[in-house]
């Protein structure tokens, strides 16, 4: 505390997101009754403070700052209910006391990052070091005192001062070395107190406190001693502290007489000691670059407060800390009651007796370890031993659900935001779609107007790069064309994606339309048809017309058969299911038919000269095109396509992967009968054809449907004869491809084929009946059982 004849200043050095620090701040504010509260946080966010009052924000929430012309350059400043800064905001707004953020403005922080990224390129280190580099997960300013505190670039790598002659320098492995002190000051204090775990020391000293005097003077004194032994601060930290001192001077100059300053404990000595001359701080801040930024509140999640999520100022156990903050008595017992309830939801027999025994064990462990109260470590060990019977999987469930937690904060409708975000929230409210951090499955019946509107919203957000929902293609296909399945989860970084997407429009529909048309400008034919399909799913009529024109133009000039074939299925699907969504697609059929005509005309030339690998890749396009033609259900188109397949199947100068596949598709379509297919297979598997070419034909023919061999014994006999007569070298050459062919079949299909092969051999079909080589039955029994097992056959 600093006190003069005119004013009294109390600096409260805290750990960000610490319940003990939060309680101490509230107690300190009650005792001081300040007429202004200064909080470490971006100074250009003061206009966001009034929204804390009246419960319009439900933590966890975060301040989001994004560069106006480059929203990807952004940062979050998160707050939990048990964050000391949040409690100071709540205390001040509830009493009408002025409250100010005093740290470097977000405009300056993001300008520094933009400059560094421009200088270093992609992957540059975060200039503040407390966050990740991918736009939504950065916390540049809230360095904290705790398990990974004070992690700022330049500090972590700062060299220790040169030692005096004859003195062995400290190493970074020593938590009390100068460089390590700056990285983790609490680790140094914990080591001095005899603790090997800094987190536990801080929890014992501060977080578990429920009464007694505020710890701020002692913490400030300890940090002052550590700072004296640490390297000099880097330029960024020096500017931060200079800015905070300048804001403190401004508050005193404005006539405030009782000033409370809430900041990270590491910075407390820089604000409580007699302030240095203002001229030095002014020089440090002269010429500070700034960017125009967008500032707002956004929801945050409990799990994103955890260190495991990559958040630099994170804590290990947000759920436990929230419990510590909310609970005044019987902390351990009430926690273990919640643990018991969570385990009972997993249908485990946890009784009150189990809970009582776990409480006793936790208290005993704390006594043995010399702790005045059980901490999370003791509670977790008691949970594992008594409630979970040593099952780490159950402990992990408790950790995920309670210790870390997954709860999304809330913001009021009147909180300022970009127009696109406001439209998204209004639309979600109208469609009764709740923003939640807990993943959930949403199944939609597209015959209902309400579900159809939900589907269109989710498809539009996907186009905008805001993947609130991920389509479950497998579930959707299994439930029919009138249904869709989505997996919904709202993550905090999606708030940044919404700000980025706001460049395209003020409503979700307008922004998605503009973004779709913009992407079409540089898209190839395959991308264009994919965009067109999604635009129709999203009911973007204004985008569908320009996209269709681009598809028609590209198809007329694109001679690549692979791209033409990849472009056809989305067009056919969009046309086929247009009646489900009520979208007008009259021109889709014309464009799709034009694509099919070009494919039929160009496929014969495209398959010439392909090796087996390239042919296998083209085979996938052939399958997709065949499925699309059948879905299109146009007799003329189907006739032309089947004629093209027959021309491919009749050729002997191209890869067997294509001729075999064409033969199989013609058989399935009823264009070839079984005798014709057996004759074709016999020709392609005849003596003199290279073994790999033969295997490629079999692979193309059998891909996606091995049951054919089980039902057509004559066809199986052809394959059996071929395999039995292959020379050893040829069999070795063909084996990898055959293994891939049969390995791709479902186990039930392989079993049926194996049973059929046994039946063919037993009936005298194939070479097994005509062989004249004497075989010792007992000697062959073992290998035969092994082969039968590999084939899935039963004997």
């Amino acid at each position: 505390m600093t006190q003069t004849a005119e004013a009294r200043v109390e600096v409260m050095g805290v750990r960000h997101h610490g319940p003990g620090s939060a309680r101490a701040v509230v107690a300190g504010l009650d005792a001081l009754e300040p007429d202004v509260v200064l909080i470490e946080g971006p100074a250009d966010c003061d206009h966001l403070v009034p929204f804390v009052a009246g419960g319009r924000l439900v933590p966890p929430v975060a301040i989001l700052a994004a560069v106006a012309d480059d929203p990807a350059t952004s940062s979050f400043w998160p707050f939990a209910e048990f964050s000391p800064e949040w409690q100071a905001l709540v205390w001040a707004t509830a009493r009408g006391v002025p409250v100010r953020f005093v740290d470097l403005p977000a405009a300056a922080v993001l300008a520094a990052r933009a400059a560094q990224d421009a200088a270093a390129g992609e992957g540059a280190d975060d200039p503040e070091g407390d966050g990740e580099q991918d736009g939504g997960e950065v916390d540049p300013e809230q360095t904290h005192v705790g398990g990974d505190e004070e992690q700022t670039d330049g500090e972590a790598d700062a060299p220790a001062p040169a030692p005096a002659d004859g003195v062995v320098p400290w190493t970074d492995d020593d938590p009390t070395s100068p460089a390590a002190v700056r990285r983790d000051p609490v680790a140094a204090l914990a080591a001095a107190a005899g603790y090997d775990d800094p987190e536990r020391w801080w929890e014992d000293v501060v977080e578990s406190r429920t009464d007694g005097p505020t710890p701020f003077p002692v913490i400030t004194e300890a940090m002052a001693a550590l700072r004296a032994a640490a390297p000099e601060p880097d330029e960024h930290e020096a500017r931060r502290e200079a800015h905070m001192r300048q804001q403190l001077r401004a508050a005193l100059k404005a006539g405030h007489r009782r000033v409370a300053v809430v900041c990270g404990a590491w910075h407390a000595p820089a604000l409580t000691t007699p302030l240095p001359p203002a001229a030095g701080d002014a020089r440090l801040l002269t010429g500070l670059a700034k960017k125009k930024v967008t500032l707002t509140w956004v929801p945050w999640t409990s799990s994103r407060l955890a260190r495991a999520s990559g958040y630099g100022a994170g804590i290990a156990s947000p759920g436990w800390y929230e419990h510590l903050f909310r609970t005044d008595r019987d902390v351990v017992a009430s926690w273990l009651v919640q643990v018991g309830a969570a385990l009972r939801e997993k249908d485990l027999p946890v009784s009150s007796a189990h809970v009582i025994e776990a409480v006793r064990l936790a208290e005993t462990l704390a006594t043995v370890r010399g702790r005045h109260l059980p901490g999370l470590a003791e509670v977790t060990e008691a949970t594992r031993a008594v409630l979970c019977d040593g099952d780490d999987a159950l402990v992990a469930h408790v950790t995920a659900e309670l210790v870390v937690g997954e709860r999304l904060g809330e913001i009021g409708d009147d909180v300022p935001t970009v127009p696109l975000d406001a439209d998204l929230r209004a639309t979600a409210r109208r469609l009764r779609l709740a923003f939640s951090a807990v993943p959930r499955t949403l199944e939609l019946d597209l015959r209902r107007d309400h579900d159809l509107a939900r589907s269109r919203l989710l498809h539009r957000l996907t186009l905008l790069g805001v993947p609130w929902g991920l389509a479950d293609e497998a579930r959707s296909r299994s439930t029919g064309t009138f249904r869709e399945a989505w997996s919904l989860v709202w993550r905090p970084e999606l708030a940044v994606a919404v700000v980025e997407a706001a460049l395209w429009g003020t409503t979700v529909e307008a922004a998605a339309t503009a973004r779709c048309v913009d992407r079409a400008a540089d898209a190839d034919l395959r991308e264009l048809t994919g965009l067109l399909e999604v635009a129709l799913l999203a009911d973007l009529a204004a985008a569908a017309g320009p996209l269709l024109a681009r598809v028609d133009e590209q198809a007329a000039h694109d001679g690549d058969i692979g791209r033409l074939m990849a472009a056809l299925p989305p067009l056919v699907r969009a046309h086929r299911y247009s009646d489900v969504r009520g979208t007008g697609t009259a021109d889709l059929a014309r464009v799709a038919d034009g694509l099919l005509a070009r494919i039929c005309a160009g496929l014969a030339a495209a398959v010439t000269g392909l090796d087996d690998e390239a042919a296998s890749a083209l085979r996938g396009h052939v399958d997709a095109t065949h499925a699309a033609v059948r879905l299109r259900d146009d007799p003329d188109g189907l006739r032309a396509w089947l004629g093209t397949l027959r021309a491919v199947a009749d050729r002997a100068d191209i890869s067997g992967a294509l001729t075999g596949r064409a033969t199989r598709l013609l058989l399935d379509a009823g264009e070839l009968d079984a005798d014709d297919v057996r004759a074709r297979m016999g020709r392609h598997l005849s003596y003199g054809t290279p073994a790999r070419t033969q295997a490629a034909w079999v692979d193309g023919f059998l891909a996606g449907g091995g049951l054919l061999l089980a039902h057509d014994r004559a066809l199986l006999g052809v394959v059996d004869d071929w395999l039995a007569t292959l020379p050893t070298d040829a069999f070795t050459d063909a084996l990898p491809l055959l293994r891939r062919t049969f390995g791709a079949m479902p186990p039930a299909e392989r079993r049926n084929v194996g049973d059929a092969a046994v039946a063919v051999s037993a009936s005298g079909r194939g070479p097994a009946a005509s062989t004249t080589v004497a075989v010792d039955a007992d000697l062959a029994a073992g290998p035969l059982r092994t082969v039968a097992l590999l084939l899935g056959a039963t004997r």
Side-chain angles (χ1 to χ4, degrees):
M1 180 183 299
T2 301
Q3 187 169 359
T4 67
E6 297 82 15
R8 177 184 175 188
V9 178
E10 182 165 345
V11 178
M12 304 178 183
V14 302
R15 175 191 186 178
H16 301 301
H17 316 312
S21 294
R23 282 193 300 269
V25 163
V26 173
L29 293 173
D30 286 339
L32 179 63
E33 294 186 350
D35 53 15
V36 68
V37 178
L38 307 181
I39 298 176
E40 178 187 327
D44 45 2
C45 293
D46 285 347
H47 65 289
L48 299 178
V49 170
F51 296 100
V52 176
R56 288 178 285 180
L57 300 175
V58 179
V61 293
I63 292 175
L64 166 62
V67 175
D69 58 358
D70 180 20
T73 303
S74 58
S75 291
F76 290 111
W77 282 261
F79 299 86
E81 180 185 4
F82 49 83
S83 300
E85 300 89 348
W86 179 260
Q87 289 302 316
L89 287 169
V90 171
W91 188 95
T93 54
R95 291 163 177 77
V97 175
V99 58
R100 306 279 186 271
F101 288 119
V102 296
D103 208 340
L104 279 178
V109 172
L110 296 183
R113 176 177 308 151
Q116 179 168 346
D117 288 349
E122 285 297 321
D125 290 339
D126 177 8
E128 289 76 34
D130 287 334
E132 298 178 0
Q133 285 301 307
D134 53 356
E137 303 219 6
V138 240
D139 175 49
E141 302 307 322
Q142 292 207 34
T143 48
H144 77 291
V145 176
D148 56 68
E149 58 278 11
E150 204 61 22
Q151 299 176 12
T152 55
D153 280 358
E155 296 169 351
D157 301 323
D165 290 342
V167 178
V168 178
W170 281 319
T171 67
D172 280 351
D173 293 333
D174 181 358
T176 59
S177 68
V181 164
R182 178 167 293 282
R183 281 201 309 271
D184 195 345
V186 166
L189 294 175
Y195 282 70
D196 59 0
D197 184 354
E199 190 80 17
R200 172 167 291 187
W201 178 84
W202 184 265
E203 186 174 309
D204 282 351
V205 174
V206 178
E207 302 305 344
S208 296
R209 295 171 56 95
T210 58
D211 53 17
T214 60
F216 302 125
V218 176
I219 291 175
T220 300
E221 183 179 351
M223 292 299 164
L226 291 174
R227 288 173 67 104
E232 289 296 317
D234 64 0
E235 183 181 36
H236 177 68
E237 182 184 336
R239 283 180 169 174
R240 290 183 61 196
E241 293 179 346
H243 194 275
M244 286 190 275
R245 284 192 295 266
Q246 289 287 63
Q247 295 295 306
L248 176 55
R249 293 187 184 101
L252 294 172
K253 186 176 180 180
H256 295 292
R257 293 296 174 262
R258 296 185 308 280
V259 181
V261 181
V262 181
C263 65
W266 181 258
H267 304 298
L271 304 178
T272 54
T273 55
L275 299 181
D281 289 341
R283 282 194 298 272
L284 271 175
L285 299 172
T286 299
L288 197 63
K290 294 185 179 181
K291 288 275 190 180
K292 184 178 180 181
V293 296
T294 299
L295 299 162
T296 187
W297 289 104
V298 295
W300 200 251
T301 63
S302 298
S303 64
R304 291 306 173 97
L305 294 168
R307 282 200 303 268
S309 72
Y311 163 47
I315 54 179
S317 47
W320 169 252
Y321 274 4
E322 182 174 297
H323 179 74
L324 285 179
F325 180 74
R326 291 182 172 182
T327 309
D328 295 327
R329 301 176 57 187
D330 298 326
V331 173
V332 174
S334 58
W335 174 263
L336 288 172
V337 167
Q338 295 181 52
V339 172
L343 293 175
R344 280 193 294 273
E345 290 180 357
K346 301 284 286 185
D347 295 328
L348 296 172
V350 178
S351 66
S352 56
H354 287 94
V355 175
I356 292 170
E357 188 61 30
V359 172
R360 290 173 177 168
L361 178 56
E363 291 173 345
T364 302
L365 287 172
T367 301
V368 170
R369 294 168 179 174
R371 306 188 70 182
H372 66 286
L373 285 174
L376 180 60
E378 288 74 28
V379 170
T380 301
E381 290 176 38
T383 298
R384 177 182 286 106
V386 179
L387 303 182
C388 298
D389 292 329
D391 190 333
D392 286 336
L394 293 178
V395 176
H397 167 71
V398 171
T399 299
E401 183 168 324
L402 296 179
V403 178
V404 176
E406 189 61 272
R407 184 167 56 84
L408 185 68
E410 300 176 16
I411 61 171
D413 293 338
D414 58 342
V415 174
T417 185
V418 294
L420 178 64
D421 184 64
D423 179 68
L424 168 59
R425 294 188 177 279
T427 305
R429 192 181 310 109
R430 175 171 54 81
L431 297 177
R432 296 194 295 278
L433 287 174
F435 296 94
S436 172
V438 179
R440 68 187 184 98
T441 298
L442 181 68
E443 295 192 358
L444 303 177
D445 184 341
L446 302 180
R447 293 168 295 186
R448 299 169 52 192
D449 291 342
H450 186 74
D451 283 359
L452 183 58
R454 287 177 165 186
S455 172
R456 287 169 175 169
L457 173 64
L458 294 173
H459 280 295
R460 290 169 182 177
L461 291 175
T462 301
L463 272 173
L464 286 172
V466 185
W468 180 13
L470 296 177
D472 188 338
E473 300 292 348
R475 184 186 291 266
S476 298
R477 284 194 297 269
S478 67
T479 54
T481 60
F482 288 96
R483 294 187 178 273
E484 278 185 351
W486 295 80
S487 176
L488 263 62
V489 57
W490 185 266
R491 302 184 306 277
E493 59 267 27
L494 294 181
V496 177
V498 172
V499 175
E500 291 184 57
L503 296 173
W504 299 104
T506 57
T507 67
V508 175
E509 181 178 3
T513 299
R515 179 64 177 131
C516 193
V517 172
D518 180 78
R519 287 175 58 184
D522 299 319
D524 61 23
L525 184 59
R526 181 177 183 177
E527 293 170 332
L528 280 172
T529 54
L531 275 174
L532 179 58
E533 182 181 20
V534 177
L536 292 171
L537 294 175
D539 192 27
L540 301 177
L547 281 171
L548 195 59
R550 283 278 295 151
V551 169
D552 206 5
E553 177 187 353
Q554 285 278 80
H557 296 90
D558 198 329
D560 186 283
I561 196 68
R563 286 197 291 267
L564 291 174
M565 297 177 84
L568 181 64
L571 285 177
V572 173
R573 287 194 300 266
H575 177 264
R576 176 69 172 177
Y577 302 128
S578 60
D579 57 329
V580 177
R581 295 178 172 273
T583 51
T585 57
D587 290 335
L588 283 174
R590 177 182 56 80
V591 176
D593 292 343
L595 272 178
L596 179 60
R598 295 185 182 95
I599 290 169
C600 291
L603 186 59
V607 299
T608 302
L610 295 181
D611 59 18
D612 287 342
E613 184 176 353
S616 295
L618 185 61
R619 188 183 76 191
H621 290 307
V622 170
D623 283 341
T625 301
H626 184 74
V629 172
R630 292 180 65 84
L631 184 64
R632 174 75 176 86
D633 197 22
D634 174 59
D636 293 337
L638 180 60
R639 190 180 306 109
W641 170 246
L642 293 176
T644 302
L645 286 180
R646 183 177 285 274
V648 171
D650 290 343
R651 291 180 60 174
D653 60 335
I654 62 176
S655 170
L658 291 171
T659 54
R661 193 63 192 152
T663 301
R664 176 59 183 274
L665 294 177
L666 290 168
L667 173 65
D668 291 345
E671 293 295 302
L672 296 177
D673 57 28
D675 291 338
D676 192 1
V677 169
R678 284 192 288 272
R680 288 170 180 267
M681 179 178 284
R683 287 197 300 271
H684 284 282
L685 301 184
S686 62
Y687 184 79
T689 305
R692 287 187 60 83
T693 301
Q694 296 173 341
W697 196 95
V698 172
D699 181 52
F701 183 81
L702 294 180
L707 282 178
L708 182 65
L709 289 181
H711 295 300
D712 191 329
R713 300 298 174 86
L715 202 62
L716 179 60
V718 175
V719 177
D720 191 42
D721 288 344
W722 165 62
L723 281 173
T725 56
L726 277 177
T728 301
D729 292 343
F731 181 80
T732 302
D733 196 29
L735 185 60
L737 190 57
L738 290 174
R739 183 183 291 118
R740 186 182 71 184
T741 301
F742 286 94
M745 296 179 185
E749 285 191 14
R750 290 201 303 271
R751 188 179 304 111
N752 287 331
V753 172
D755 289 342
V758 171
V760 166
S761 178
S763 66
R765 295 288 303 272
S770 59
T771 181
T772 58
V773 178
V775 177
D776 188 325
D778 294 334
L779 185 64
L784 286 175
R785 282 195 299 272
T786 302
V787 172
L789 181 63
L790 290 174
L791 289 174
T794 56
R795 294 185 63 88

